[in-house]
Amino acid sequence: MRESKVMPGFSDRLAAQAEARKALLAKFKPKPTVQAVEAEGAFETTAQKKARELEEVRARRAAEKEAQRLAKEKAEEERRIAMENDEELMLQLKRDERKARKAAAKADARAKRELKAQTRRAG
């Protein structure tokens, strides 16, 4: 008996099934990928990128800190020079120091008197 193309026979169905199975398995085979030519440092891993960014942040913060320190030093030096040049301010500082010294001596004397008075009362 002759097989017709309209109604495929058993062998045709088996051949079709084998082709379908090959096509299905071909999907799972790894395909060759295009490998980019890696230049020096062209690609960096996530860890490398994170480390680089962290280093940039640290460097920027250190630079900011140094700038603040220099500005503070400069302002302190200018204030010191201005104080040395201002005679009236120097006289005022001397007066304030003398007043503080006299107030401390007065407080010590008062404390001695009070202690002496307490010992007289108690004894």
Side-chain angles (χ1 to χ4, degrees):
M1 205 162 155
R2 224 173 115 192
E3 295 180 13
S4 70
K5 293 294 180 186
V6 177
M7 301 219 18
F10 183 69
S11 61
D12 292 331
R13 286 187 305 212
L14 282 178
Q17 181 183 9
E19 287 177 32
R21 184 177 298 128
K22 283 181 186 175
L24 188 64
L25 290 175
K27 287 184 191 177
F28 296 112
K29 286 188 180 177
K31 295 174 179 65
T33 57
V34 177
Q35 294 289 331
V37 178
E38 188 174 326
E40 283 293 316
F43 298 106
E44 59 184 353
T45 65
T46 306
Q48 290 171 336
K49 183 178 179 184
K50 195 171 188 178
R52 180 181 49 81
E53 289 173 352
L54 185 64
E55 189 61 35
E56 288 172 0
V57 168
R58 284 181 180 158
R60 188 176 67 241
R61 285 183 183 162
E64 289 172 358
K65 221 175 190 182
E66 182 67 17
Q68 286 178 348
R69 187 186 64 79
L70 290 175
K72 188 176 179 183
E73 271 184 13
K74 186 178 178 182
E76 183 67 27
E77 182 67 20
E78 287 175 358
R79 189 184 66 78
R80 187 185 62 77
I81 290 172
M83 272 182 39
E84 287 176 357
N85 293 338
D86 192 359
E87 292 178 17
E88 190 170 319
L89 180 64
M90 295 301 285
L91 289 174
Q92 182 64 35
L93 288 174
K94 283 184 181 179
R95 283 187 205 117
D96 290 344
E97 183 182 335
R98 188 171 49 238
K99 283 182 184 178
R101 202 172 49 241
K102 283 187 175 185
K106 192 175 181 180
D108 285 344
R110 181 179 295 136
K112 274 186 179 179
R113 275 197 315 265
E114 288 177 3
L115 182 65
K116 194 174 185 182
Q118 281 181 353
T119 54
R120 257 187 288 157
R121 287 185 215 140

